[in-house]
Amino acid sequence: MNGDNLHHRSVPQTTTLLKTPNNISINKINLKKTPNYVSSNGKMSDQWPTHWWSLADASFLRWTAADIIGVFKYHPVPCFFAVTLLFFMGVEYTLRMIPPSSPPFDIGFVATVYLHRILASSPTLNTVLAGLNTVFVGMQTTYIIGTWVIEGRPRATVAALFMFTCRGILGYSTQLPLPEGFLGSGADFPVGNVSFFLFYSGHVAGSVIASLDMRRMQRWELAILFDTLNILQVMRLLSTRGHYTIDLAIGVGAGMLFDSLAGKYMKNASSSVVEQDGLCTNRPLLS
């Protein structure tokens, strides 16, 4: 190594740092602070606008043909929903309303007319199917409660509590008339052919809650079995006029919704217990 190199390395390096509101200067090299607002002309600015929004700041003014094509290419599902929205807007504005003196129109009832006739002509078959459906409800209940009592995982139980409470509130708030041609059975759930809320289907929602839990635990075969039995249950409930189609469809959505809400509740509850108890191993039954 020569002396020049040694001398060069021994010279102490000095750094000058100067700050201004919008710039940082290091050794006379200016570094502008990163802006955080896009103005109407597409340029970045570190000043927030003095208004909430204006047409000049509208996002669509910066759209390009490639952006629009990309929507159809990369987001086909929302595009499909957009088309169906336009279709049903046309249907809604041209459809003649059902008069108050007529029974409700239900496409599920139309699709199960043949099965309804079979069950109406065979009370024994109707009772057997009702009994089997009640067994399936018992399977749902056993599994959902078992996930908490046996496995210590209360999420499905909490979801079912949320779901049935909301069902009771909505069912009482708007009491739908019993469908024309209802085929009741003493073996059906609620057992004894008693009254029940139509909106929404607790049968279907409970099945969905159980199925979602099975999938979380990777119990795929059991989940497929429950989904299959749920489809058969839907067909029977439509055939016996035990529920309107909308009750069953919302039952599926309700199962998903309350399972998600229960998951968020359990997450927040667990965090709260940890914050309060620290490393304590004694946890509440629902944590």
Side-chain angles (χ1 to χ4, degrees):
M1 296 180 136
N2 55 36
D4 289 341
N5 287 337
L6 288 175
H7 175 71
H8 227 353
R9 294 187 179 184
S10 63
V11 175
Q13 298 293 324
T14 59
T15 301
T16 303
L17 177 62
L18 299 176
K19 287 186 177 181
T20 63
N22 295 319
N23 295 276
I24 299 176
S25 178
I26 301 178
N27 290 341
K28 298 183 179 181
I29 299 177
N30 292 325
L31 302 176
K32 188 173 178 62
K33 293 173 64 176
T34 303
N36 51 14
Y37 168 68
V38 181
S39 62
S40 59
N41 60 7
K43 295 182 179 180
M44 301 298 290
S45 171
D46 57 356
Q47 300 295 325
W48 287 101
T50 57
H51 52 274
W52 286 104
W53 64 274
S54 67
L55 184 60
D57 297 320
S59 175
F60 74 89
L61 294 178
R62 295 188 296 275
W63 291 357
T64 65
D67 294 330
I68 298 175
I69 295 174
V71 171
F72 292 95
K73 182 177 180 180
Y74 299 109
H75 304 283
V77 174
C79 291
F80 170 77
F81 287 147
V83 172
T84 57
L85 169 63
L86 296 175
F87 171 76
F88 281 109
M89 284 179 64
V91 172
E92 183 175 359
Y93 278 95
T94 57
L95 188 68
R96 297 184 61 182
M97 300 295 290
I98 302 296
S101 58
S102 300
F105 171 79
D106 193 298
I107 194 171
F109 291 178
V110 175
T112 56
V113 168
Y114 179 70
L115 294 176
H116 177 74
R117 291 173 181 170
I118 293 177
L119 295 178
S121 62
S122 179
T124 301
L125 177 60
N126 183 40
T127 299
V128 170
L129 294 179
L132 292 175
N133 204 156
T134 299
V135 172
F136 179 46
V137 172
M139 292 168 59
Q140 300 172 28
T141 306
T142 301
Y143 180 86
I144 290 174
I145 296 178
T147 58
W148 174 35
V149 177
I150 305 300
E151 302 180 21
R153 299 184 299 103
R155 174 171 173 171
T157 306
V158 172
L161 292 175
F162 287 177
M163 181 271 291
F164 279 109
T165 299
C166 185
R167 176 179 179 270
I169 295 171
L170 295 178
Y172 182 80
S173 299
T174 302
Q175 300 172 37
L176 302 175
L178 194 66
E180 189 175 313
F182 170 64
L183 302 175
S185 172
D188 205 353
F189 183 84
V191 179
N193 199 22
V194 296
S195 60
F196 57 93
F197 291 130
L198 285 167
F199 189 85
Y200 43 84
S201 173
H203 287 69
V204 172
S207 302
V208 171
I209 289 173
S211 175
L212 291 173
D213 185 87
M214 294 168 185
R215 281 175 163 75
R216 276 193 299 273
M217 301 305 295
Q218 299 184 359
R219 297 166 178 166
W220 307 114
E221 294 82 3
L222 194 57
I224 292 174
L225 173 63
F226 262 59
D227 289 341
T228 302
L229 293 176
N230 199 10
I231 293 173
L232 295 175
Q233 174 179 242
V234 167
M235 294 176 60
R236 188 195 76 85
L237 291 171
L238 287 174
S239 301
T240 61
R241 308 304 188 244
H243 272 293
Y244 294 106
T245 301
I246 193 172
D247 306 331
L248 305 171
I250 297 300
V252 175
M256 295 178 178
L257 171 63
F258 290 109
D259 176 77
S260 175
L261 292 178
K264 294 179 180 179
Y265 170 80
M266 295 306 303
K267 182 178 180 180
N268 293 335
S270 299
S271 300
S272 177
V273 169
V274 171
E275 289 177 0
Q276 294 178 14
D277 293 353
L279 298 178
C280 178
T281 57
N282 296 323
R283 295 284 184 256
L285 293 178
L286 288 178
S287 64

Short mmCIF file of all heavy atoms in Angstrom, two decimals, residues 114-123 126 181 183 239:
data_model
loop_
_atom_site.label_atom_id
_atom_site.label_comp_id
_atom_site.label_asym_id
_atom_site.label_seq_id
_atom_site.Cartn_x
_atom_site.Cartn_y
_atom_site.Cartn_z
N TYR A 114 -93.05 -30.52 -8.85
CA TYR A 114 -93.19 -31.99 -8.95
C TYR A 114 -92.91 -32.65 -7.60
O TYR A 114 -93.66 -33.55 -7.17
CB TYR A 114 -92.22 -32.50 -10.02
CG TYR A 114 -92.26 -34.01 -10.20
CD1 TYR A 114 -93.37 -34.63 -10.77
CD2 TYR A 114 -91.19 -34.80 -9.78
CE1 TYR A 114 -93.40 -36.02 -10.93
CE2 TYR A 114 -91.22 -36.17 -9.93
CZ TYR A 114 -92.32 -36.77 -10.50
OH TYR A 114 -92.37 -38.14 -10.65
N LEU A 115 -91.84 -32.24 -6.93
CA LEU A 115 -91.52 -32.82 -5.63
C LEU A 115 -92.60 -32.49 -4.60
O LEU A 115 -92.92 -33.32 -3.74
CB LEU A 115 -90.16 -32.30 -5.15
CG LEU A 115 -88.95 -32.72 -5.97
CD1 LEU A 115 -87.69 -32.05 -5.44
CD2 LEU A 115 -88.78 -34.25 -5.95
N HIS A 116 -93.17 -31.30 -4.70
CA HIS A 116 -94.24 -30.92 -3.78
C HIS A 116 -95.45 -31.84 -3.94
O HIS A 116 -96.07 -32.26 -2.93
CB HIS A 116 -94.64 -29.47 -4.03
CG HIS A 116 -95.79 -29.01 -3.19
ND1 HIS A 116 -95.65 -28.73 -1.85
CD2 HIS A 116 -97.10 -28.78 -3.50
CE1 HIS A 116 -96.83 -28.35 -1.35
NE2 HIS A 116 -97.72 -28.37 -2.34
N ARG A 117 -95.77 -32.17 -5.16
CA ARG A 117 -96.91 -33.07 -5.40
C ARG A 117 -96.64 -34.46 -4.84
O ARG A 117 -97.55 -35.10 -4.28
CB ARG A 117 -97.18 -33.16 -6.91
CG ARG A 117 -97.73 -31.85 -7.52
CD ARG A 117 -97.81 -31.95 -9.02
NE ARG A 117 -98.30 -30.71 -9.61
CZ ARG A 117 -98.29 -30.45 -10.92
NH1 ARG A 117 -97.81 -31.36 -11.78
NH2 ARG A 117 -98.77 -29.30 -11.38
N ILE A 118 -95.41 -34.94 -4.98
CA ILE A 118 -95.07 -36.27 -4.45
C ILE A 118 -95.22 -36.28 -2.93
O ILE A 118 -95.83 -37.21 -2.36
CB ILE A 118 -93.64 -36.65 -4.86
CG1 ILE A 118 -93.54 -36.86 -6.37
CG2 ILE A 118 -93.19 -37.91 -4.11
CD1 ILE A 118 -92.14 -37.17 -6.85
N LEU A 119 -94.69 -35.29 -2.26
CA LEU A 119 -94.76 -35.24 -0.80
C LEU A 119 -96.19 -35.02 -0.32
O LEU A 119 -96.59 -35.55 0.72
CB LEU A 119 -93.84 -34.14 -0.26
CG LEU A 119 -92.34 -34.33 -0.51
CD1 LEU A 119 -91.56 -33.15 0.05
CD2 LEU A 119 -91.86 -35.63 0.13
N ALA A 120 -96.97 -34.23 -1.07
CA ALA A 120 -98.36 -33.99 -0.69
C ALA A 120 -99.19 -35.27 -0.79
O ALA A 120 -100.13 -35.47 -0.01
CB ALA A 120 -98.95 -32.89 -1.56
N SER A 121 -98.84 -36.12 -1.74
CA SER A 121 -99.58 -37.38 -1.93
C SER A 121 -99.06 -38.50 -1.05
O SER A 121 -99.67 -39.58 -1.01
CB SER A 121 -99.51 -37.80 -3.40
OG SER A 121 -98.17 -38.06 -3.79
N SER A 122 -97.94 -38.31 -0.36
CA SER A 122 -97.35 -39.35 0.48
C SER A 122 -96.93 -38.75 1.83
O SER A 122 -95.77 -38.40 2.02
CB SER A 122 -96.14 -39.99 -0.22
OG SER A 122 -95.55 -40.97 0.60
N PRO A 123 -97.87 -38.63 2.78
CA PRO A 123 -97.54 -38.08 4.09
C PRO A 123 -96.45 -38.87 4.82
O PRO A 123 -95.66 -38.28 5.57
CB PRO A 123 -98.87 -38.14 4.84
CG PRO A 123 -99.91 -38.18 3.77
CD PRO A 123 -99.29 -38.94 2.65
N ASN A 126 -93.12 -37.77 3.55
CA ASN A 126 -92.87 -36.43 4.07
C ASN A 126 -92.38 -36.49 5.51
O ASN A 126 -91.44 -35.78 5.89
CB ASN A 126 -94.15 -35.60 3.97
CG ASN A 126 -93.93 -34.17 4.44
OD1 ASN A 126 -92.89 -33.56 4.16
ND2 ASN A 126 -94.90 -33.63 5.15
N GLY A 181 -99.72 -24.10 0.62
CA GLY A 181 -99.35 -25.48 0.33
C GLY A 181 -98.31 -26.04 1.28
O GLY A 181 -97.69 -27.07 0.98
N LEU A 183 -96.43 -28.15 3.83
CA LEU A 183 -96.58 -29.54 4.26
C LEU A 183 -95.84 -29.73 5.57
O LEU A 183 -94.63 -29.98 5.58
CB LEU A 183 -96.04 -30.50 3.19
CG LEU A 183 -96.67 -30.39 1.79
CD1 LEU A 183 -95.96 -31.30 0.80
CD2 LEU A 183 -98.16 -30.70 1.85
N SER A 239 -89.60 -27.93 -1.32
CA SER A 239 -90.65 -28.86 -1.74
C SER A 239 -91.81 -28.88 -0.75
O SER A 239 -92.97 -29.04 -1.15
CB SER A 239 -90.08 -30.27 -1.89
OG SER A 239 -89.03 -30.29 -2.85
#
